[in-house]
Amino acid sequence: LSGSSGETKGIFTPRFEDYQKVYNEVAERLEEKDDYDDGSYGPVLVRLAWHASGTFDKETGTGGSNGATMRFAPEGDHGANAGLKAARDFLEPVKQKFPWISYSDLWILSGVCAIQEMQGPTIPYRPGRLDKDIAACTPDGRLPDASQGNKHLRDIFYRMGFNDQEIVALSGAHALGRCHTDRSGFEGPWTFSPTVVTNDYYDLLLKEKWSWKKWNGPKQYEDKTSKSLMMLPTDMALITDKSFRPWVEKYAKDNDLFFKDFSAVITKLFELGVPFAESTEKMTFKPTNA
Ligand code: ZEM
């Protein structure tokens, strides 16, 4: 039976091959729909998976990617989630085509797919998340506020169960995508290649001269050289904080180390609070461009 989907007494049991089909469908849509933003839905899919996961609170075990509660208005309307409807709408046809997968598993699988298809490291994936109802929506304020500093970053990420090294490794995701004035209020990309996973974020943080952008929007930094890149106050905290900075320096020097640590930490993020069955297999999807 290996290589085919199991069907026992009418209950469909998806296997690795079935998840790879979902992966391929998301990858194909990423390729097709290249007229969005910088040419890819990849970054916003990564942000969706992160915001689904980043609500986790280790004390109460609430929040996290198990539940996909951002589908419901209270959580979907939280300021931090502005703009993520674009990602959820992008995935809706995939959910229609593969109705057996939960939204919670689909959002995380799509984050994995987006990272790999944007030439990032391999991210192992485990399925098993179940969608919850509106009552499981998390309170507003669990995701980080970009206008704050190092203390706030620690408050937010320690609550999820991360340490300083992991905070810095996760932040490398800002190699991807951009800020939108009609979403967060901030404006611009962090790197010159916002649809490719690289360690450029760290390199630019250290090598560029950053000064406050002169504009009427929220306080953000602008690079002196091109004046087309940006950093958030929370990004800058990674080089002003004594304990964060050595990790920025390591990742700027060593892309392989960044890829290794980023893969490990994003896998941890995506699995926060998910009660996997003991027997759940770790899957490694084949990128379509490999
Ligand atoms: Zn982000 N992020 N993020 N982030 N993020 C934005 C965009 C993206 C913070 C934050 O306030 C913002 C992580 C951590 C943190 C991505 C991934 C990850 C934006 C712009 C803001 C304001 C939203 C907009 O206007 O569209 C803060 C304060 C963080 C604390 C450290 C982590 C961790 C991430 C993944 C692992 C990505 C991929 C984007 C780009 C989205 C896009 O649409 O291009």
Side-chain angles (χ1 to χ4, degrees):
L1 260 179
S2 83
S4 65
S5 307
E7 185 143 7
T8 320
K9 294 178 190 152
I11 299 162
F12 176 64
T13 314
R15 301 188 177 173
F16 171 70
E17 291 75 12
D18 300 297
Y19 290 100
Q20 178 76 58
K21 278 182 200 155
V22 180
Y23 178 103
N24 294 347
E25 181 75 16
V26 174
E28 195 177 306
R29 286 180 67 73
L30 280 174
E31 182 92 18
E32 264 169 32
K33 300 181 96 32
D34 63 355
D35 57 348
Y36 172 81
D37 238 1
D38 297 297
S40 174
Y41 273 90
V44 80
L45 290 185
V46 175
R47 185 169 165 245
L48 175 67
W50 139 239
H51 280 204
S53 310
T55 54
F56 184 66
D57 172 23
K58 68 174 189 212
E59 295 304 323
T60 58
T62 55
S65 66
N66 191 38
T69 45
M70 203 201 297
R71 287 169 298 145
F72 305 112
E75 199 175 324
D77 289 349
H78 290 166
N81 290 331
L84 289 176
K85 191 176 182 297
R88 296 194 300 273
D89 288 350
F90 172 92
L91 292 174
E92 194 52 36
V94 184
K95 171 69 176 165
Q96 298 309 314
K97 189 161 175 182
F98 302 96
W100 50 265
I101 195 168
S102 65
Y103 281 101
S104 334
D105 269 347
L106 175 62
W107 291 357
I108 299 305
L109 191 157
S110 301
V112 166
C113 175
I115 290 165
Q116 293 194 171
E117 295 297 307
M118 292 188 288
Q119 300 167 52
T122 302
I123 315 291
Y125 173 80
R126 286 195 288 174
R129 296 166 191 78
L130 297 175
D131 295 338
K132 294 185 185 165
D133 70 19
I134 192 166
C137 281
T138 47
D140 202 356
R142 288 204 178 177
L143 292 162
D145 169 359
S147 69
Q148 299 208 43
N150 55 353
K151 181 185 179 300
H152 174 73
L153 284 181
R154 289 196 172 92
D155 288 344
I156 294 283
F157 284 92
Y158 286 5
R159 187 208 70 226
M160 294 177 222
F162 291 112
N163 63 28
D164 289 354
Q165 173 264 321
E166 291 173 314
I167 293 171
V168 179
L170 277 171
S171 298
H174 282 171
L176 298 171
R178 59 168 56 245
C179 297
H180 306 77
T181 46
D182 59 342
R183 295 180 179 180
S184 59
F186 298 97
E187 173 61 24
W190 290 266
T191 66
F192 292 110
S193 52
T195 63
V196 185
V197 183
T198 65
N199 64 343
D200 288 358
Y201 167 81
Y202 304 106
D203 201 47
L204 287 160
L205 258 177
L206 293 172
K207 288 200 182 131
E208 268 304 331
K209 277 218 156 95
W210 298 96
S211 49
W212 291 113
K213 180 180 170 74
K214 291 184 184 67
W215 74 327
N216 288 327
K219 285 181 99 174
Q220 66 174 69
Y221 293 87
E222 170 180 87
D223 72 302
K224 272 237 159 72
T225 313
S226 76
K227 295 191 178 299
S228 63
L229 300 179
M230 68 94 59
M231 289 289 166
L232 301 163
T234 41
D235 295 313
M236 208 53 71
L238 301 185
I239 55 169
T240 54
D241 182 277
K242 275 207 203 76
S243 160
F244 289 144
R245 187 176 172 111
W247 292 105
V248 175
E249 290 169 351
K250 282 191 183 70
Y251 295 139
K253 269 198 213 103
D254 188 343
N255 192 58
D256 292 343
L257 178 69
F258 167 56
F259 267 35
K260 180 177 143 287
D261 287 1
F262 183 68
S263 175
V265 77
I266 203 144
T267 303
K268 176 171 167 182
L269 172 73
F270 288 170
E271 298 195 344
L272 292 174
V274 184
F276 295 110
E278 283 278 325
S279 60
T280 307
E281 158 194 17
K282 255 203 204 304
M283 305 179 174
T284 305
F285 298 117
K286 196 175 159 328
T288 59
N289 49 11

